[in-house]
Amino acid sequence: MFISADISYYPLGREHIPPILDFIHRLNHHPDIEVKTNGLSTQVYGDYETVMDAIREEVRKSFELPLSVFVIKIVNSDQRNY
């Protein structure tokens, strides 16, 4: 099943940009998903299992920082052209 996920990451600290860029960089190293970014969020597209495994892995790494907040929306369709 193909899914589209929209992720907003809010590391609560003085230096919030480096953790966001690191999160996006790590997502981009998963070869079987498509990652797009804009000024507000990161979109991830691909097979359900593959996308969810990548998100789970990278959110867990980001949670090693104190006070990290994620808002994730997932839809079971291809939203790349919307």
Side-chain angles (χ1 to χ4, degrees), residues 36-81:
K36 294 183 181 180
T37 60
N38 62 46
L40 298 176
S41 64
T42 300
Q43 291 78 41
V44 183
Y45 308 98
D47 173 71
Y48 174 83
E49 296 293 335
T50 306
V51 168
M52 295 305 288
D53 286 347
I55 290 172
R56 179 182 40 78
E57 179 180 336
E58 302 312 336
V59 167
R60 184 179 186 346
K61 289 177 186 173
S62 294
F63 276 162
E64 293 174 3
L65 295 174
L67 300 172
S68 290
V69 176
F70 283 89
V71 176
I72 303 172
K73 296 176 276 186
I74 303 167
V75 61
N76 62 341
S77 68
D78 186 349
Q79 298 292 304
R80 288 180 287 191
N81 295 321

